[in-house]
Amino acid sequence: MRKSRLWQIFKNPNARRSVPPGSIFGALGNFCLEFPQELLLFAVGKFMTIIVGCIVGFVAWFLLSYLAAGMFTVEQNERAVKTSFGRAERIKSLTTLDDPVSEALNAEEKERYTYPQLRVIPPGGPYFKWPWEKVYKVSVATQTVSMAYDPETPSANRDGTVLEAVTKDQLNTGLTGQLRYRVSDKNLYAYLFGVKQPIVHVMGYFVSILRERIANFEAPPPIVDGHAATLTEAGASAIGVSINDLRKNLRDLNEHMDQECRSSAARYGITLDASLITGIDPPPEVESALAAINTAYNQVSSDISLAQASADQKIVQSRRAVEIETLKAHAEVEPLKALAAQLKLLEGSGPGAIATYLRNVRLRLFSEARRIILEVKNG
């Protein structure tokens, strides 16, 4: 009713005069009497256009900000997780204990590192999210970092180049090498929400295991004739020099680290693909002594190898000589065995067969002989 009354005031000049002077309609009517009717209609039209434009702009902004911007894609080297009001989408009530990723954990660790399994968005798209949802993307590509890298203090360990460790004989050694890792899509909850700065935890976990292994490492005894050699049989090997043992057993050390770090995916959501220790440097004050020990050990090893090779060669030659003599004996016996078999067959053919055979043999011998000596019996 009030809207139609206002419109009459704008439209009809008589309606403007009939309005009581003390009311709001009167004030509006007096205002409208001072301006032409066309100007008032133009102002009202402009005002309505502005209102409609604001409404249309708000709708367009909402569509662009929340609907079109809600489309997203996932790259081939990425995995994504979507949260709704801060809660990640989960796969029913499954946890990481229901996945093979937790097989490397012991009973105590399984109670500590239990995370829900999330619904992982695979590569592809486009996907859609609502305004109250948020998407977390992580790269699952394999990354390489120095094993001496400290994420919290990059200047530590000689700017992340050399990792120090103490051996069993109390020597400070410098370790160099690389570590390859990637984010595990089997435990993204731990990587995104469960652990703050997971790479810091992974590097600390790796370094602690490596230093413990370096401090307790002992080289296996050499094998002599199928059994472990004693201290006397080991000879001049570098017993007690753990740096030399580490250098000679780098492969076993790397395999041990790979085995011990299999639980990192269940712990922190990061899989350690491989650890490659490339160098073990002794402290400068013992480097010359170790070099002398290595030289002596190499010389002794060379002499032992030469002696072993010479002994092996003589054994092989003896075996071959025995085989040759055995073959010669067989070659001499075989004709006799064949002749015995033939004589046995002749004996079975008749009583005079052997005598006839002997007579024929004598005649053939007489035909080939140049001289014949006959023994004459006296008498």
Side-chain angles (χ1 to χ4, degrees):
M1 183 67 182
R2 177 170 294 184
K3 180 179 178 180
S4 60
R5 182 64 174 166
L6 287 173
W7 181 251
Q8 290 179 3
I9 293 175
F10 279 113
K11 191 74 174 175
N12 190 359
N14 296 326
R16 302 173 197 168
R17 298 185 179 89
S18 62
V19 178
S23 64
I24 185 172
F25 295 105
L28 185 58
N30 295 332
F31 176 77
C32 294
L33 288 174
E34 298 177 1
F35 293 94
Q37 181 179 2
E38 293 77 5
L39 183 60
L40 291 175
L41 294 176
F42 177 77
V44 171
K46 286 293 185 181
F47 178 75
M48 296 302 294
T49 302
I50 293 174
I51 295 298
V52 172
C54 291
I55 295 174
V56 172
F58 175 78
V59 172
W61 170 80
F62 180 82
L63 294 176
L64 291 176
S65 300
Y66 293 100
L67 296 182
M71 307 295 293
F72 68 94
T73 59
V74 181
E75 299 295 335
Q76 292 296 323
N77 63 334
E78 293 180 338
R79 300 296 184 269
V81 172
K82 189 163 54 176
T83 61
S84 179
F85 295 105
R87 179 181 173 85
E89 295 183 354
R90 310 186 181 190
I91 303 178
K92 298 181 181 179
S93 59
L94 297 179
T95 64
T96 53
L97 298 181
D98 302 316
D99 192 270
V101 72
S102 299
E103 291 181 351
L105 299 177
N106 55 37
E108 181 184 358
E109 292 173 342
K110 288 182 179 179
E111 297 179 359
R112 297 173 54 192
Y113 301 103
T114 302
Y115 302 103
Q117 292 190 25
L118 303 183
R119 192 177 304 277
V120 180
I121 302 176
Y127 301 103
F128 179 76
K129 70 177 183 67
W130 293 105
W132 55 85
E133 295 178 335
K134 186 176 180 180
V135 176
Y136 294 86
K137 298 181 181 180
V138 295
S139 174
V140 295
T142 301
Q143 304 181 43
T144 303
V145 66
S146 172
M147 64 173 55
Y149 172 67
D150 189 345
E152 293 183 320
T153 310
S155 60
N157 300 326
R158 304 180 190 177
D159 294 330
T161 57
V162 179
L163 177 66
E164 293 186 355
V166 180
T167 62
K168 189 175 182 179
D169 47 7
Q170 304 301 317
L171 292 178
N172 292 328
T173 60
L175 306 176
T176 57
Q178 294 179 341
L179 182 67
R180 292 201 303 267
Y181 71 93
R182 58 182 174 84
V183 178
S184 174
D185 56 357
K186 302 294 184 181
N187 193 12
L188 287 179
Y189 188 94
Y191 182 79
L192 293 174
F193 312 109
V195 180
K196 185 178 181 181
Q197 295 181 336
I199 186 61
V200 176
H201 291 267
V202 169
M203 293 301 299
Y205 176 65
F206 174 81
V207 170
S208 63
I209 294 179
L210 178 59
R211 284 176 171 167
E212 188 271 338
R213 181 60 176 170
I214 294 295
N216 300 316
F217 184 83
E218 287 184 358
I223 304 300
V224 177
D225 295 334
H227 66 278
T230 62
L231 182 62
T232 303
E233 293 172 336
S237 58
I239 301 298
V241 184
S242 56
I243 294 182
N244 288 336
D245 297 338
L246 290 170
R247 286 176 171 176
K248 291 183 294 184
N249 295 273
L250 276 181
R251 180 178 179 181
D252 295 337
L253 183 61
N254 288 325
E255 291 179 354
H256 174 80
M257 294 304 301
D258 293 341
Q259 183 71 18
E260 290 293 329
C261 294
R262 288 191 305 114
S263 61
S264 62
R267 288 169 174 262
Y268 314 112
I270 295 180
T271 301
L272 296 178
D273 285 338
S275 63
L276 181 61
I277 303 174
T278 57
I280 300 179
D281 299 327
E285 57 270 16
V286 299
E287 187 172 3
S288 58
L290 286 176
I293 293 175
N294 290 334
T295 302
Y297 174 74
N298 293 334
Q299 182 65 35
V300 172
S301 299
S302 176
D303 295 340
I304 293 175
S305 298
L306 292 176
Q308 188 68 30
S310 177
D312 293 341
Q313 185 178 4
K314 291 180 180 179
I315 292 173
V316 171
Q317 291 176 352
S318 300
R319 289 176 179 174
R320 289 183 178 179
V322 171
E323 292 177 357
I324 292 172
E325 294 299 327
T326 303
L327 293 176
K328 287 182 178 180
H330 284 302
E332 294 177 357
V333 171
E334 287 299 326
L336 298 177
K337 289 183 177 180
L339 179 60
Q342 292 177 0
L343 293 176
K344 190 174 182 179
L345 291 176
L346 289 173
E347 184 181 6
S349 62
I354 296 296
T356 305
Y357 173 76
L358 292 176
R359 183 175 60 84
N360 293 333
V361 171
R362 287 192 186 101
L363 291 176
R364 188 175 63 182
L365 291 176
F366 290 157
S367 63
E368 294 179 358
R370 296 181 180 180
R371 294 178 182 180
I372 298 175
I373 299 175
L374 295 177
E375 183 179 356
V376 179
K377 294 183 181 180
N378 296 326

